[in-house]
Amino acid sequence: MNGAEALIETLAQAGVEVCFANPGTSEMQLVAAIDRQHGMRAILGLFEGVVTGAADGYGRMADKPAMTLLHLGPGLANGLANLHNARRAGSPVVNVVGDHATYHLQYNSPLTSDLAGVARPMSDWVKASRSERDLPQAGAEAMAVATTYPGRIATLVAPANHAWTEGSASVAARPAPAAPTVPAAVIEEVATLLREADAPKAIFLGGRALREGALEQAGRVAAATGARLICETFPARLQRGAGRVAVERLPYFGEQAQDYLQDFKAIVFCGCEPPVSFFAYPGKPSRLSPDGARTARLASAEEDAERALTDLADALGAPAEPALAQQAGTPPIDGGRLDPVKMGAVIAAALPKDAIVTDEANTSGIALFPYTAGAAPHDWLTLTGGAIGIGLPLAVGAAVACPDRKVIALQADGSAMYTCQALWTMAREKLDVTTILINNGSYAILNIELMRVGVQNPGPKALSMLDLRNPAIDWVSISEGMGVPARRATTSEELREALDEALADKGPHLIEVLI
Amino acid sequence: MNGAEALIETLAQAGVEVCFANPGTSEMQLVAAIDRQHGMRAILGLFEGVVTGAADGYGRMADKPAMTLLHLGPGLANGLANLHNARRAGSPVVNVVGDHATYHLQYNSPLTSDLAGVARPMSDWVKASRSERDLPQAGAEAMAVATTYPGRIATLVAPANHAWTEGSASVAARPAPAAPTVPAAVIEEVATLLREADAPKAIFLGGRALREGALEQAGRVAAATGARLICETFPARLQRGAGRVAVERLPYFGEQAQDYLQDFKAIVFCGCEPPVSFFAYPGKPSRLSPDGARTARLASAEEDAERALTDLADALGAPAEPALAQQAGTPPIDGGRLDPVKMGAVIAAALPKDAIVTDEANTSGIALFPYTAGAAPHDWLTLTGGAIGIGLPLAVGAAVACPDRKVIALQADGSAMYTCQALWTMAREKLDVTTILINNGSYAILNIELMRVGVQNPGPKALSMLDLRNPAIDWVSISEGMGVPARRATTSEELREALDEALADKGPHLIEVLI
């Protein structure tokens, strides 16, 4: 077999079932190999940010990597922003990027670039294969890297001549290293801290500590110690809803987050680093935890969070039953013209059991998270790395990973535009995604940020750079142009009806909400 | 003034009139400074590939840089593919990328990345400012780099605290270095080669050698020597049409290009490197010039091409009147259902004088270039770097640079999708661009390439990765969704009528052509 076939067989045998692809000429041998590979599904994205964002969504929900197939340096470059988000989410992704034949690089043909240089800033591991025999070896190595707990971004550069040369063979998968566990001494130290510290105290949870099993254990710790459970602002995947252990979410703006944390006497971090301000602002601190609090790290993002919380709960002699179980229930719905609050109530009431919510609603989504706290159990996926344009691709990937679950994409208009091509993939693959496109006609967050960085009296040129109304974007048109049926909602009643219709069907829908 | 104001004033005083922008929080001070800067226009793009591609189009037509304003590493990453194209075009571009405050970087907040690492692969020059005083200094340096003949990509990283800190001041522009001229000995050597070599012989022209003035001189050389004039396959800006000196264009596919060149006994290169195959293919050579030909370089892409051709013509005692002047005239139009040939004839006949054509028509554009040879004089801009998604942004930039000229965007569907957001900017700025969106429902070039790399009998999975028909994309809907009036044409008559209507109006239009 040729190098391409050996690589694809290696990845398939290691468990890769899905390839999100936007190939070009230098990937044609890989396309042919995927074509022949039983058990590997190929899903086309019409822009590379869709491809990498979908791989992120898939990785968050499947807890194993999809493969991406990208075309040379510029193709990878188009996918970098969502790889940045995926990396911040701790998602497992294996990127395979075709390159020119090795002997062709010296001629500097038009599409030549420093491919490894493009890959490096957003990858945990980058390797160019050295031969047709090395290509599957490098593929196995990429899988081992990507599946390292909680998940990493591995980028493999596949020169075209290694792909087309015969004489290669697939290789066995290398087992991923087990997630490191937290030493008993650390567990004991944290237990002592929690026992001794004055109230209020908190466990600050992020990464894998936000999965149902880990939260159950965190709830036991809360039962034993009275600690509050706080969730990082942008969780990769938070399992929540009625009956699950509930967490409070740290506010986005630095000064609010600082206020939120300032009274705690002790904070234990698990599954993430201590929180910092998203951006710096003149005269405001970057670190958000209060200087006076006693702090300790139970587990980093790379250590087994659920195990650490279990060990901690046991060390504390915590009861089997967790505290902070979420009561079922959603707020009442007010009729009439939609605003962010009414929208939140309608969506919370309609949220199906086991829904997957991808949240890139930004400023307009203010009521969505709190209002859905007591909705049916669901997963909540957010913009982990701040690079907008993740929401729709994330929904694509989540729907591919979980075909039997409803995906609800809560999507701000400005962010949606970056990767609007994802709608086409939803249509092609008939993905069960209902997109709620919240059209407020602006980069609303930037109007706030303009003030926050100290700009007074912005003029028309500045405001025009934050405004999306001239002309207004018609998302129903765009969605239908890409094959996703769409309708518009301006009142609670219309949104309810549109949601009922969309959720009753299995397949993609878009509801444009004007607020 | 603060660093942001000093930077923007420096750039404006150095001649920057336009900022293509997609800012975020870390650029708010720069937004405010642009707001206050007299004589600098701010143009919003809803995706960074639109921003950088527009800067490329502006640079090609204005022969001076626009500024781009981009948000951190991921924002720059989204703009890299079109910076790659701009770099290959020899376009002048000054990127200003906001970064976190320098003291904030250590906290690794969610949007932190190796910004200079992201910039480097597609930039000729990268610098992070060191202080609020250094920011305008670095801006002046960026301008000097960008305006180095024929044009370069300069990327300046502007930390937020340097932007907001007071106590800075604008600095004077540094003059761009003059374009290096070709030594007399080289001119003489090339003249001797052209005098002595047997026919057929050719001057192979690229880069700045394809402007009207340089072509005039190349035509004199042709008159004196009988040399044919061949143009690189993907010119950044070719000035052509009735009355101008005509060039032949090297075919795209390597084996055709090789056939085309194989009989030449001598080839002189001017304004570019010798041609190489776009991609490598098993068993096929990368270099396209025949081994047996005598070759010489008159001028590299970085040397003054028009001056070199003038000196060469004079050294040859060439007549004042160039050979190869293009006769006026366009092919007859056949009515009925459109195909690429009929489409070419309709467009050639309709092409207004001084039109700017941006050509990302790819496979469907086969008749467009030859059929417009004798049309009214116009500029032809192509995809120089092979990173698809340039066409619509290029049209935006060209229209901003030349508000009194008609821009015709010849655009393939697959490529258009990557940066479809450009339509919105056309609508907002009321740019005089008529987009002819050629919808063939596939990555047609890849169907050809699949065969060419030796893949036999591709299966349904492979073909689906090259197919855009399921679902069909409705470009009229997408265009109208972004505010650009659109209609569909399926016959010659409909296309003619739609073109007449669009060209009679001053403002953006889209015509979807189904072929």
Side-chain angles (χ1 to χ4, degrees):
Chain A
M1 61 178 60
N2 67 29
E5 292 162 331
L7 170 63
I8 298 303
E9 190 170 284
T10 297
L11 294 177
Q13 286 173 354
V16 175
E17 294 180 71
V18 175
C19 173
F20 295 103
N22 187 263
T25 298
S26 37
E27 293 75 41
M28 285 299 109
Q29 299 286 348
L30 291 156
V31 164
I34 291 166
D35 188 41
R36 285 191 286 270
Q37 181 63 51
H38 184 71
M40 191 180 288
R41 180 174 173 192
I43 296 177
L44 180 61
L46 298 189
F47 171 69
E48 294 87 348
V50 176
V51 167
T52 53
D56 183 7
Y58 181 92
R60 293 192 203 184
M61 293 310 302
D63 282 333
K64 65 177 199 172
M67 167 189 166
T68 71
L69 183 60
L70 302 167
H71 183 45
L72 293 157
L76 174 59
N78 279 336
L80 284 182
N82 275 341
L83 286 178
H84 171 84
N85 290 324
R87 194 180 188 195
R88 294 282 170 167
S91 293
V93 178
V94 172
N95 300 305
V96 176
V97 190
D99 197 3
H100 287 305
T102 48
Y103 60 81
H104 191 66
L105 285 171
Q106 64 186 308
Y107 299 107
N108 192 30
S109 65
L111 263 168
T112 306
S113 66
D114 174 11
L115 213 169
V118 174
R120 225 167 271 128
M122 309 310 191
S123 303
D124 294 295
W125 176 97
V126 181
K127 187 167 185 176
S129 86
R130 285 165 302 203
S131 68
E132 68 280 4
R133 294 294 290 266
D134 188 45
L135 191 50
Q137 293 284 358
E141 199 177 332
M143 272 300 283
V145 169
T147 53
T148 300
Y149 180 95
R152 293 194 184 164
I153 312 299
T155 301
L156 169 57
V157 177
N161 55 329
H162 299 174
W164 73 52
T165 301
E166 295 290 334
S168 191
S170 65
V171 303
R174 305 179 193 177
T181 54
V182 173
V186 172
I187 302 287
E188 201 42 59
E189 195 184 320
V190 172
T192 304
L193 173 67
L194 285 173
R195 270 192 217 102
E196 291 177 353
D198 295 332
K201 42 199 162 185
I203 322 276
F204 188 89
L205 302 159
R208 287 289 189 103
L210 298 171
R211 301 294 181 85
E212 186 172 21
L215 288 171
E216 190 87 2
Q217 300 301 326
R220 290 180 60 212
V221 174
T225 63
R228 283 162 61 186
L229 301 182
I230 303 177
C231 161
E232 62 185 340
T233 309
F234 294 107
R237 180 181 172 192
L238 170 63
Q239 298 195 286
R240 65 197 290 261
R244 286 185 173 151
V245 170
V247 292
E248 310 166 39
R249 187 175 177 189
L250 191 71
Y252 168 69
F253 289 118
E255 54 273 37
Q256 292 174 13
Q258 220 189 350
D259 284 353
Y260 198 87
L261 296 176
Q262 71 175 354
D263 293 331
F264 285 98
K265 301 288 186 289
I267 308 179
V268 170
F269 301 99
C270 181
C272 59
E273 297 298 305
V276 296
S277 173
F278 209 85
F279 293 104
Y281 301 91
K284 291 176 186 160
S286 295
R287 290 190 194 195
L288 302 176
S289 312
D291 289 337
R294 295 175 65 184
T295 60
R297 175 197 274 171
L298 176 63
S300 75
E302 286 77 33
E303 291 170 314
D304 189 333
E306 181 173 345
R307 171 77 185 272
L309 287 162
T310 307
D311 291 349
L312 177 62
D314 292 347
L316 288 163
E321 195 63 28
L324 303 173
Q326 174 67 50
Q327 294 244 315
T330 53
I333 297 172
D334 284 335
R337 187 149 194 86
L338 278 168
D339 59 29
V341 170
K342 288 184 197 168
M343 179 177 69
V346 174
I347 291 170
L351 206 66
K353 186 167 180 308
D354 287 329
I356 303 165
V357 176
T358 63
D359 173 11
E360 196 176 36
N362 304 347
T363 42
S364 301
I366 188 157
L368 294 169
F369 188 82
Y371 275 36
T372 49
H378 59 274
D379 287 54
W380 197 277
L381 280 50
T382 78
L383 171 54
T384 47
I388 57 175
I390 187 74
L392 299 176
L394 209 55
V396 165
V400 169
C402 304
D404 299 326
R405 298 173 65 175
K406 291 277 173 195
V407 178
I408 315 287
L410 306 175
Q411 187 58 52
D413 53 348
S415 304
M417 194 52 113
Y418 289 73
T419 47
C420 56
Q421 307 91 345
L423 292 166
W424 183 84
T425 300
M426 292 180 193
R428 162 170 281 206
E429 301 293 331
K430 301 181 177 55
L431 301 177
D432 202 4
V433 178
T434 294
T435 299
I436 299 172
L437 201 303
I438 309 162
N439 191 341
N440 65 8
S442 83
Y443 289 132
I445 184 72
L446 295 185
N447 281 297
I448 302 168
E449 296 285 17
L450 196 63
M451 310 305 155
R452 278 164 47 78
V453 300
V455 173
Q456 308 298 338
N457 306 316
K461 238 196 299 183
L463 293 176
S464 81
M465 276 192 269
L466 318 179
D467 170 69
L468 309 179
R469 265 169 297 225
N470 175 23
I473 297 169
D474 177 344
W475 278 99
V476 170
S477 257
I478 292 175
S479 184
E480 290 179 342
M482 296 198 198
V484 172
R487 53 187 287 187
R488 197 165 282 126
T490 57
T491 64
S492 289
E493 293 77 8
E494 285 170 9
L495 176 57
R496 238 171 128 167
E497 189 191 310
L499 262 175
D500 285 348
E501 183 196 65
L503 293 172
D505 184 37
K506 195 168 167 71
H509 291 269
L510 181 140
I511 304 166
E512 182 178 23
V513 174
L514 300 174
I515 59 173
Chain B
M1 60 177 61
N2 67 28
E5 292 162 333
L7 170 63
I8 298 303
E9 190 170 285
T10 297
L11 293 177
Q13 286 173 354
V16 174
E17 295 180 71
V18 175
C19 173
F20 295 103
N22 187 262
T25 299
S26 38
E27 293 74 40
M28 285 300 108
Q29 299 286 348
L30 291 157
V31 164
I34 292 167
D35 188 42
R36 286 191 286 269
Q37 181 64 50
H38 184 71
M40 191 180 288
R41 181 174 173 192
I43 296 177
L44 179 61
L46 299 188
F47 171 68
E48 294 87 347
V50 176
V51 167
T52 54
D56 184 6
Y58 181 92
R60 294 192 203 184
M61 293 311 302
D63 283 334
K64 67 177 198 172
M67 167 189 167
T68 70
L69 183 60
L70 301 168
H71 183 45
L72 294 157
L76 174 58
N78 279 336
L80 284 183
N82 275 340
L83 286 178
H84 172 84
N85 291 324
R87 194 180 188 194
R88 293 282 170 167
S91 293
V93 178
V94 172
N95 300 305
V96 177
V97 190
D99 197 3
H100 287 305
T102 48
Y103 61 80
H104 191 66
L105 284 172
Q106 64 187 309
Y107 299 107
N108 193 30
S109 66
L111 263 168
T112 306
S113 66
D114 173 12
L115 213 169
V118 173
R120 226 167 270 127
M122 309 310 190
S123 303
D124 294 295
W125 176 96
V126 181
K127 187 167 184 175
S129 85
R130 286 165 302 205
S131 68
E132 68 282 3
R133 293 295 289 266
D134 188 44
L135 191 50
Q137 293 285 359
E141 200 178 332
M143 271 301 282
V145 169
T147 53
T148 300
Y149 180 95
R152 293 194 185 164
I153 312 299
T155 302
L156 168 57
V157 177
N161 55 329
H162 299 174
W164 74 51
T165 300
E166 293 291 333
S168 191
S170 65
V171 302
R174 304 181 194 176
T181 54
V182 173
V186 172
I187 303 288
E188 200 42 59
E189 195 184 320
V190 172
T192 304
L193 173 68
L194 285 174
R195 271 193 215 102
E196 290 176 354
D198 295 331
K201 44 199 163 187
I203 321 277
F204 188 91
L205 301 160
R208 286 289 187 103
L210 297 171
R211 302 292 181 86
E212 186 172 22
L215 288 171
E216 190 88 1
Q217 300 301 325
R220 290 179 61 211
V221 174
T225 62
R228 283 161 61 186
L229 301 181
I230 303 177
C231 159
E232 62 185 339
T233 308
F234 294 108
R237 180 181 172 192
L238 171 62
Q239 299 196 286
R240 65 196 292 261
R244 285 186 174 151
V245 170
V247 292
E248 311 165 38
R249 187 174 176 189
L250 191 71
Y252 169 69
F253 289 119
E255 53 274 39
Q256 292 173 11
Q258 220 189 349
D259 285 353
Y260 198 87
L261 296 175
Q262 70 175 354
D263 293 330
F264 285 99
K265 300 289 185 288
I267 309 179
V268 169
F269 302 99
C270 181
C272 59
E273 296 297 305
V276 296
S277 174
F278 210 85
F279 293 105
Y281 301 92
K284 290 176 186 161
S286 295
R287 291 191 194 196
L288 302 175
S289 313
D291 289 338
R294 296 173 64 183
T295 60
R297 175 198 275 172
L298 176 62
S300 76
E302 286 78 34
E303 292 169 314
D304 188 332
E306 180 173 344
R307 171 78 185 272
L309 287 162
T310 307
D311 291 349
L312 177 62
D314 292 346
L316 288 163
E321 194 64 27
L324 303 174
Q326 175 67 50
Q327 294 243 314
T330 53
I333 296 171
D334 283 336
R337 190 154 190 82
L338 279 168
D339 59 29
V341 169
K342 287 183 198 169
M343 179 177 69
V346 174
I347 292 170
L351 205 65
K353 185 166 179 308
D354 287 328
I356 302 165
V357 176
T358 62
D359 173 11
E360 196 176 36
N362 303 349
T363 43
S364 301
I366 188 159
L368 295 169
F369 188 81
Y371 274 36
T372 49
H378 60 273
D379 287 53
W380 197 275
L381 279 51
T382 78
L383 171 54
T384 48
I388 58 176
I390 186 76
L392 299 176
L394 209 55
V396 166
V400 170
C402 304
D404 298 327
R405 298 174 65 175
K406 291 278 174 194
V407 178
I408 315 286
L410 306 175
Q411 187 58 53
D413 53 349
S415 303
M417 194 53 112
Y418 288 73
T419 48
C420 55
Q421 306 91 344
L423 292 166
W424 183 85
T425 301
M426 292 180 192
R428 162 170 281 206
E429 301 292 332
K430 301 181 178 54
L431 301 178
D432 201 4
V433 178
T434 295
T435 298
I436 299 171
L437 201 303
I438 309 164
N439 191 341
N440 64 8
S442 84
Y443 289 132
I445 185 71
L446 294 185
N447 282 296
I448 301 168
E449 296 284 16
L450 196 63
M451 311 305 155
R452 279 164 47 79
V453 298
V455 173
Q456 309 297 336
N457 307 316
K461 236 195 301 183
L463 294 176
S464 81
M465 275 192 270
L466 318 179
D467 170 67
L468 309 180
R469 265 167 298 225
N470 175 22
I473 297 169
D474 177 344
W475 278 98
V476 170
S477 258
I478 292 175
S479 184
E480 289 179 342
M482 296 199 197
V484 172
R487 53 188 288 187
R488 198 164 280 125
T490 58
T491 64
S492 289
E493 292 77 7
E494 286 170 10
L495 177 56
R496 239 170 125 167
E497 191 191 307
L499 262 174
D500 285 349
E501 183 195 65
L503 293 171
D505 184 37
K506 195 167 167 67
H509 291 268
L510 182 140
I511 304 166
E512 182 178 24
V513 174
L514 300 173
I515 60 172

